[in-house]
């Protein structure tokens, strides 16, 4: 019933209305974390834990073709409330977690896809803070939060806390964590304010870690230090989320790339082009880039037509990288627009390797790409 209600909405839903639908169970997915709080989901328990018996029952009702379609495209949803990206944060959050939150089947896909052990054994107990408040919202935020929780639970690589409260992005609170993950936090520099910006810089420079996922790079347009911290500012996305794109690995022998078997791949997701001059291979060790030898990356009908010419504008399009920032470590990955990305086993392993690098457990060469004498590559396979 709720999907029909949501599908017919053309006016702005109130927080109370959405909360009521969630409370009666008509809208699947994780409940939002209350503003001003942290939600703990360590490796032993989760406030948004999976009900395995329910998930198994739901999945078993589908034939193989239907299950494959669901895995490839996600759970069908109706029309979201009109104008919801412009809502204030509490209402926006309710849509993200109530309307777009992962279904029980999608949760099961994630549980089945997460690695069951860490890339390397943690040197000691690690704590990761995930911040997910944003300006422009990405519908995959709630699904991503659930995936990060399951990574923590399955691998015991770290304890995880989730928050949407900018007041917690302060030195006094961050000091207890080993790394901060920015989950599709468009314009996070605006969200956290001047004190938060200073706290993040000090946190990383002091030897801690930062993980930026997808829209974390759609930030810092007027904050030079933040732009250097991420080493990339979103310009546009010629490669739309409906397309399946070819990716190559740079330095396939690198430990983070070895975690995904050192092979190029194809993936359905959205890919950014970055502002001229905002990304420098002189700063980062680039690990994944678009495989521009594949024609699909230039002539696919899933390209944004008005930006098609941008696909040939540069000979290189970086997608994921690592670098040092002061004494700290930064991992950024463009992958993460689509819900389906968060139950792709290879991507979850890619995230885990990057997270463990940022936490300080996966020791990996972060020499800048331009300082390498030879950069080996592993192209995407011809068939996909």
């Amino acid at each position: 019933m709720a999907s029909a209600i949501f599908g017919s909405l053309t006016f702005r839903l109130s927080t109370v209305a959405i909360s009521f639908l969630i409370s009666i169970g008509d809208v699947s997915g994780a409940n939002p974390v209350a503003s001003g709080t942290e939600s703990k989901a360590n490796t032993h328990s989760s406030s948004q834990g999976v009900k395995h018996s329910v998930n198994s029952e739901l999945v078993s009702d589908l034939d193989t073709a239907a299950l494959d379609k669901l895995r490839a495209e996600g759970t069908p949803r109706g029309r979201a409330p009109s104008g919801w990206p412009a809502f204030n944060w509490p209402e926006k959050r309710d849509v993200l977690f109530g309307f777009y939150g992962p279904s029980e089947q999608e949760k099961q896909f994630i549980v089945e896809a997460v690695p069951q052990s860490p890339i390397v054994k943690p040197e000691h107990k690690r704590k990761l803070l995930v911040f997910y408040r944003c300006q422009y919202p990405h519908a995959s935020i709630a699904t991503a939060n659930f995936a990060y929780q399951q990574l923590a639970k399955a691998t015991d690589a770290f304890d995880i806390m989730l928050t949407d409260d900018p007041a917690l992005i302060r030195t006094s609170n961050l000091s207890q964590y080993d790394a901060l993950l920015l989950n599709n936090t468009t314009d996070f520099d605006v969200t956290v304010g001047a004190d938060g910006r200073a706290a993040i810089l000090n946190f990383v420079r002091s030897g801690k870690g930062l993980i930026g996922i997808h829209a974390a790079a759609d930030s810092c347009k007027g904050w030079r230090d933040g732009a250097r911290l991420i080493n990339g500012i979103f310009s546009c996305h010629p490669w739309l989320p409906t397309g399946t794109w070819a990716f190559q690995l740079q330095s396939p022998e690198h430990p983070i790339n070895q975690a995904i078997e050192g092979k190029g791949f194809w993936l359905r997701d959205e890919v950014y082009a970055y502002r001229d001059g905002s990304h420098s291979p002189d700063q980062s060790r680039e690990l994944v880039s678009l495989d521009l030898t594949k024609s699909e990356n230039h002539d696919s009908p899933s390209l944004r037509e008005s930006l098609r010419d941008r696909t040939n504008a540069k000979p290189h399009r970086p997608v994921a990288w690592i670098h040092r920032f002061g004494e700290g470590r930064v991992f950024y990955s463009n992958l993460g627009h689509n819900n389906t990305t968060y139950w792709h086993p290879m991507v979850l392993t890619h995230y885990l390797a990057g997270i463990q690098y940022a936490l300080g457990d996966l020791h990996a060469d972060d020499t800048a790409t331009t300082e390498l004498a030879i950069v080996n590559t592993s192209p995407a396979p011809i068939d996909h």
Side-chain angles (χ1 to χ4, degrees), residues 53 69 83 105 127 233 235 241 245 275 292 318 355 364 368:
S53 60
K69 181 178 175 62
Q105 290 95 335
K127 292 182 67 177
I233 299 176
S235 171
W245 312 111
R275 289 189 182 186
L292 297 178
I355 290 170

Side-chain angles (χ1 to χ4, degrees), residues 344-355:
H344 194 295
M346 181 275 298
V347 177
L348 291 174
T349 303
H350 167 71
Y351 289 157
L352 178 60
I355 290 170

Side-chain angles (χ1 to χ4, degrees), residues 167-377:
L168 296 178
I169 308 300
R170 299 292 186 269
T171 298
S172 58
N173 185 60
L174 290 179
S175 60
Q176 65 182 296
Y177 297 100
D178 297 287
L180 170 66
L181 188 152
L182 301 174
N183 173 13
N184 267 309
T185 47
T186 308
D187 291 319
F188 72 87
D189 53 312
V190 176
T191 303
V192 302
D195 289 344
R197 293 193 293 271
I200 291 172
L201 289 178
N202 291 336
F203 177 74
V204 182
R205 283 172 172 159
S206 71
K208 300 298 183 75
L210 182 79
I211 301 102
I213 301 298
H214 194 60
D218 191 3
S219 306
C220 307
K221 286 92 170 179
W223 181 32
R224 178 175 294 183
D225 285 341
R228 287 187 59 249
L229 176 66
I230 299 295
N231 196 22
I233 299 176
F234 165 83
S235 171
C236 58
H237 33 63
W239 300 274
L240 292 173
T242 52
T244 298
W245 312 111
F247 298 87
Q248 68 175 4
L249 301 189
Q250 295 174 255
S251 301
E253 71 282 359
H254 191 275
I256 292 178
N257 282 337
Q258 278 296 297
I260 56 172
E261 300 183 353
K263 299 176 181 178
F265 57 91
W266 294 79
L267 184 71
R268 181 176 178 265
D269 207 354
E270 179 185 82
V271 185
Y272 287 170
Y274 299 93
R275 289 189 182 186
D276 289 344
S278 70
H279 173 82
S280 173
D282 295 337
Q283 178 180 335
S284 294
R285 180 66 170 270
E286 297 171 338
L287 299 173
V288 182
S289 60
L290 280 171
D291 184 346
L292 297 178
T293 68
K294 301 299 189 291
S295 62
E296 289 89 337
N297 284 348
H298 305 284
D299 60 18
S300 168
S302 293
L303 288 166
R304 187 179 295 277
E305 190 59 38
S306 62
L307 298 173
R308 185 176 292 270
D309 61 326
R310 296 289 296 271
T311 67
N312 289 305
K314 293 185 178 182
H316 179 61
R317 294 291 186 179
V319 171
W321 54 81
I322 59 172
H323 58 257
R324 288 279 177 168
F325 190 83
E327 297 299 316
R329 299 158 302 280
V330 176
F331 166 73
Y332 172 77
S333 179
N334 182 168
L335 308 179
H337 177 95
N338 290 352
N339 278 339
T340 53
T341 300
Y342 293 95
W343 57 79
H344 194 295
M346 181 275 298
V347 177
L348 291 174
T349 303
H350 167 71
Y351 289 157
L352 178 60
I355 290 170
Q356 288 207 270
Y357 163 79
L359 288 169
D361 289 320
L362 179 57
H363 300 293
D365 185 3
D366 39 33
T367 302
T369 297
T370 53
E371 295 180 17
L372 300 175
I374 298 174
V375 179
N376 297 316
T377 60

Side-chain angles (χ1 to χ4, degrees), residues 2-189:
S3 60
I5 294 173
F6 275 114
S8 64
L9 280 176
T10 57
F11 58 92
R12 181 169 176 166
L13 289 179
S14 69
T15 303
V16 173
I18 296 177
S19 298
F20 172 73
L21 288 171
I22 294 172
S23 70
I24 63 175
D26 285 337
V27 180
S28 61
N31 290 329
V33 177
S35 181
T37 66
E38 290 173 300
S39 172
K40 183 172 184 180
N42 62 28
T43 56
H44 304 293
S45 64
S46 169
S47 61
Q48 301 172 9
V50 176
K51 299 177 181 178
H52 293 274
S53 60
V54 174
N55 287 332
S56 298
E57 181 180 346
L58 288 170
V59 170
S60 67
D61 289 341
L62 301 175
D63 61 32
T64 300
L67 189 59
D68 288 345
K69 181 178 175 62
L70 183 62
R71 184 177 282 108
E73 300 178 5
T75 301
R77 291 170 172 86
R79 184 184 298 276
S82 178
W84 76 275
F87 288 5
N88 61 35
W89 174 248
E91 292 174 305
K92 190 185 299 182
R93 183 186 60 214
D94 283 342
V95 176
L96 284 170
F97 285 81
F99 184 76
Y100 285 114
S103 68
E104 292 302 315
Q105 290 95 335
E106 290 170 338
K107 289 180 182 179
Q108 181 67 17
F109 290 154
I110 292 169
V111 170
E112 293 170 352
V114 292
Q116 296 302 301
S117 60
I119 307 300
V120 293
K121 183 178 179 180
E123 295 178 1
H124 56 80
K125 200 68 173 176
R126 300 293 190 179
K127 292 182 67 177
L128 175 68
L129 179 64
V130 175
F131 183 64
Y132 61 90
R133 185 163 175 169
C134 57
Q135 299 297 314
Y136 182 84
H138 279 66
S140 58
I141 283 175
T143 301
N145 277 354
F146 183 81
Y148 301 136
Q149 288 178 311
Q150 296 308 307
L151 273 176
K153 183 176 181 180
T155 67
D156 204 22
F158 50 88
D159 283 351
I160 186 169
M161 303 285 288
L162 308 174
T163 189
D164 64 345
D165 185 359
L168 296 178
I169 308 300
R170 299 292 186 269
T171 298
S172 58
N173 185 60
L174 290 179
S175 60
Q176 65 182 296
Y177 297 100
D178 297 287
L180 170 66
L181 188 152
L182 301 174
N183 173 13
N184 267 309
T185 47
T186 308
D187 291 319
F188 72 87
D189 53 312

